[in-house]
Amino acid sequence: MTMFKEGRPTAPQAVAQEHMSPATVTGNRALMLEEPLIFEIGSPATTGVDFAEAPKIASRLGNLARQDAIGLPGLSEQETVRHYTRLSRQNYAIDLGLFPLGSCTMKHNPRLNEKVARMAGFADLHPLQPQSTTQGALAVIHELAQWLTTLTGMHSVAMSPKAGAHGELCGLLCIRAALEARGDARSVVLVPESAHGTNPATAAFCGYKVEDIPATPDGRVDLEALKTRLGPDVAAVMITNPNTCGLFERDMKTISDAVHAVGAFVYCDGANFNAIVGRVRPGDLGVDAMHINLHKTFSTPHGGGGPGSGPVVLSEALAPFAPLPFVEKQGDRFVLVEEETVEDHHGDSFGRMVAFHGQMGMFTRALAYILSHGADGLRQVSGDAVLNANYILRSLADVLDAPFGQSGPCMHEALFSDKGLAEGFTTLDIAKGLIDEGFHPMTMYFPLVVHGAMLIEPTETESKAALDQFVMALRSLAGRAKAGDEALKGAPYHAPRRRLDETLAARKPVLVWNESDLAQAAE
Ligand SMILES: *Cc1c(COP(=O)(O)O)cnc(C)c1O
């Protein structure tokens, strides 16, 4: 966490003046308690535990023995519990309210998934246990893999990648291995302008030259520009579908055919699978590799670096190059295949991405989610996700500019621009205003193809009442930003921290507590 004196609470009097309410002497607001750093409340002189005087024994550490106290703050047990509980209350979470982050699919995580993931038979397994004792866990991985290939219409799936971006890496490594196997090294990966930032990053990480493909005015890949650029130096095209403008790429099959015609592969960023699960099978659209973010489409809590899992479904052409290890059913037993052999059909694997089989906790949550919905339920998930996003789009289109509002219904997320806000008012002001209204801000300034973008993904798990409340908040903020209400530029007023200097936070992060550093950063 970065922390700056500047971003710390303004003196209570100053806050009070701004919104005309009497100050409190503590800085607390009702039951929202202000909380200093643990170093500021604890003292090295106090301790929560009474230790007997340590017996004097000769140190065997020689000159490696610590000479000075390390200055850890001392607090009683109750003080410690309160400190962390107060901090946890300053977090916003999907369990507190609607989390409109576009592209992130922040949906409710059914508690049933948690219960299943915590079952001792899964949670207490060790990855090095003999496979005869882990048959149930291997069966879960195998069954989940079958669901994923069935839902996507793909040939096989690599289960081990640990997040979406890791899955992209897996897919591109498969593509590179396939090209090398036919002695056809290629140097370029084409990425549409509206791609998620991880796509070009992954391609560059794999050593490819990344080239942009422009978008059409209606927010989709420019098919003609893509066709013109295709050639024998192109290894792959990475396309997000549904794309980050919240639109379905209708030309996907035509694109795939054109890409295949020049001997290249189609990588699909499947992070937005939530919008089409049960309705569209990417395999039917000519996709060669696609990651699925289990932590988005198939629930499980995520964000803040929380656990992810990014299985990659593969076409028949890429399947032989998939990473090790993988689960195979041999007779009535499940086997984790750890080694490649030239004799069997797995001799072409590009290698290994992770130490073990992948994210077991996520596999159990995802399978629990899938089984509790069933195929029909998953179809309803995507239907409701798209319905909710269109409800947001249509409920705000008269107060916020919807650049692709004329391109037909959106998919799972609604996109707005900052066009029409009063001079000097920005998307950031609306985002900060949302914090005061009790909502996590939407994704902003992404995708880059739209000026001052606001990307809102409500997900299917929000009720109409919750959507209406969110719409009401945004309508009010849009009205204020259009009317030039100067007070909005000071938002947030009610959050534990006021508006931070984000440039300073990015350029000069202070990650270690040190009084003199903090003083310097404040200057
Ligand atoms: C979330 C996301 C990713 C990256 O997935 P991680 O699991 O965060 O690595 C890639 N592309 C899109 C479109 C996404 O929404």
Side-chain angles (χ1 to χ4, degrees):
M1 189 174 94
T2 45
M3 180 70 83
F4 294 97
K5 276 260 186 302
E6 212 178 49
R8 319 194 70 197
T10 333
Q13 297 85 336
V15 176
Q17 273 167 7
E18 279 181 69
H19 53 102
M20 304 297 190
S21 58
T24 58
V25 294
T26 52
N28 295 336
R29 260 157 269 135
L31 296 177
M32 271 310 284
L33 306 185
E34 189 43 57
E35 190 61 8
L37 299 182
I38 197 166
F39 290 96
E40 294 166 319
I41 48 176
S43 149
T46 49
T47 168
V49 194
D50 282 331
F51 288 116
E53 190 67 32
K56 289 268 175 288
I57 47 168
S59 167
R60 284 181 290 172
L61 293 170
N63 62 3
L64 295 176
R66 185 178 285 137
Q67 305 298 316
D68 303 308
I70 56 170
L72 288 179
L75 285 91
S76 72
E77 178 173 322
Q78 188 184 41
E79 285 169 326
T80 309
V81 168
R82 283 184 177 163
H83 173 68
Y84 287 108
T85 305
R86 286 170 179 171
L87 284 186
S88 74
R89 291 185 60 193
Q90 296 185 358
N91 272 342
Y92 190 80
I94 193 72
D95 289 346
L96 280 175
L98 189 147
F99 215 116
L101 275 183
S103 207
C104 291
T105 310
M106 303 295 288
K107 65 193 199 180
H108 173 64
N109 176 49
R111 292 303 177 269
L112 175 68
N113 302 355
E114 294 304 313
K115 203 170 168 176
V116 173
R118 282 171 174 73
M119 285 166 70
F122 296 125
D124 294 349
L125 285 182
H126 191 282
L128 293 177
Q129 261 174 250
Q131 290 187 23
S132 60
T133 67
T134 59
Q135 285 294 303
L138 295 178
V140 164
I141 300 176
H142 186 77
E143 184 166 352
L144 177 60
Q146 283 188 319
W147 271 97
L148 298 181
T149 50
T150 304
L151 288 168
T152 55
M154 297 288 281
H155 180 272
S156 60
V157 57
M159 297 295 287
S160 65
K162 295 208 169 181
H166 204 210
E168 291 170 27
L169 179 62
C170 172
L172 282 203
L173 290 176
C174 286
I175 289 172
R176 193 168 72 182
L179 288 169
E180 282 172 1
R182 68 179 197 219
D184 184 14
R186 295 177 173 218
S187 58
V188 176
V189 168
L190 303 181
V191 180
E193 257 182 340
S194 63
H196 193 267
T198 50
N199 294 191
T202 301
F205 187 74
C206 285
Y208 287 108
K209 191 162 158 286
V210 180
E211 284 185 32
D212 268 0
I213 296 296
T216 56
D218 81 340
R220 296 184 168 91
V221 173
D222 185 334
L223 180 61
E224 288 317 309
L226 175 73
K227 279 184 173 167
T228 310
R229 179 56 193 86
L230 283 174
D233 59 336
V234 174
V237 177
M238 295 180 90
I239 293 188
T240 307
N241 199 12
N243 73 21
T244 50
C245 296
L247 302 171
F248 189 75
E249 294 287 357
R250 296 188 204 114
D251 293 329
M252 195 67 199
K253 185 71 174 72
T254 317
I255 291 173
S256 301
D257 290 345
V259 171
H260 290 150
V262 298
F265 291 95
V266 178
Y267 186 91
C268 181
D269 180 330
N272 297 330
F273 195 46
N274 199 53
I276 56 172
V277 61
R279 289 166 195 273
V280 177
R281 301 192 317 160
D284 297 336
L285 302 177
V287 168
D288 290 295
M290 179 182 98
H291 72 264
I292 299 169
N293 301 57
L294 292 187
H295 49 292
K296 292 178 182 174
T297 307
F298 299 109
S299 85
T300 73
H302 68 112
S309 182
V312 179
V313 286
L314 297 165
S315 63
E316 195 169 358
L318 291 183
F321 306 97
L324 295 160
F326 49 84
V327 177
E328 213 173 50
K329 192 163 189 204
Q330 297 177 358
D332 56 359
R333 281 176 44 78
F334 296 95
V335 178
L336 191 64
V337 180
E338 297 268 9
E339 307 228 343
E340 51 173 350
T341 56
V342 193
E343 298 81 52
D344 67 23
H345 57 296
H346 308 306
D348 296 321
S349 167
F350 72 72
R352 182 180 277 270
M353 297 194 79
V354 299
F356 301 113
H357 44 267
Q359 298 277 49
M360 194 63 215
M362 308 294 287
F363 296 156
T364 45
R365 286 179 178 91
L367 185 59
Y369 180 81
I370 288 173
L371 291 178
S372 60
H373 280 78
D376 290 345
L378 291 174
R379 204 178 140 76
Q380 190 181 342
V381 162
S382 55
D384 290 350
V386 170
L387 179 65
N388 277 2
N390 279 284
Y391 187 72
I392 298 266
L393 182 67
R394 296 303 155 205
S395 304
L396 293 172
D398 61 325
V399 291
L400 284 174
D401 172 58
F404 305 125
Q406 309 310 317
S407 306
C410 62
M411 296 299 290
H412 57 307
E413 49 198 1
L415 180 59
F416 301 96
S417 85
D418 61 2
K419 195 169 144 193
L421 303 188
E423 179 75 22
F425 283 79
T426 64
T427 289
L428 188 69
D429 297 321
I430 294 191
K432 297 297 183 190
L434 263 183
I435 296 177
D436 277 341
E437 298 289 351
F439 291 102
H440 191 287
M442 63 296 198
T443 291
M444 49 177 182
Y445 300 108
F446 175 81
L448 304 175
V449 286
V450 166
H451 197 271
M454 295 172 237
L455 187 63
I456 299 171
E457 179 177 359
T459 82
E460 71 284 359
T461 49
E462 296 302 333
S463 65
K464 180 167 178 298
L467 295 182
D468 283 337
Q469 202 186 32
F470 178 72
V471 163
M472 183 175 72
L474 256 183
R475 289 188 70 87
S476 152
L477 291 167
R480 290 173 64 194
K482 286 171 123 172
D485 175 356
E486 285 295 322
L488 185 58
K489 289 190 178 168
Y493 294 97
H494 304 290
R497 295 292 174 273
R498 302 294 308 279
R499 208 177 276 212
L500 300 175
D501 182 335
E502 290 172 16
T503 312
L504 189 65
R507 296 237 166 113
K508 289 196 197 167
V510 179
L511 303 171
V512 175
W513 184 79
N514 176 327
E515 229 156 350
S516 57
D517 281 358
L518 286 173
Q520 241 186 335
E523 277 160 19

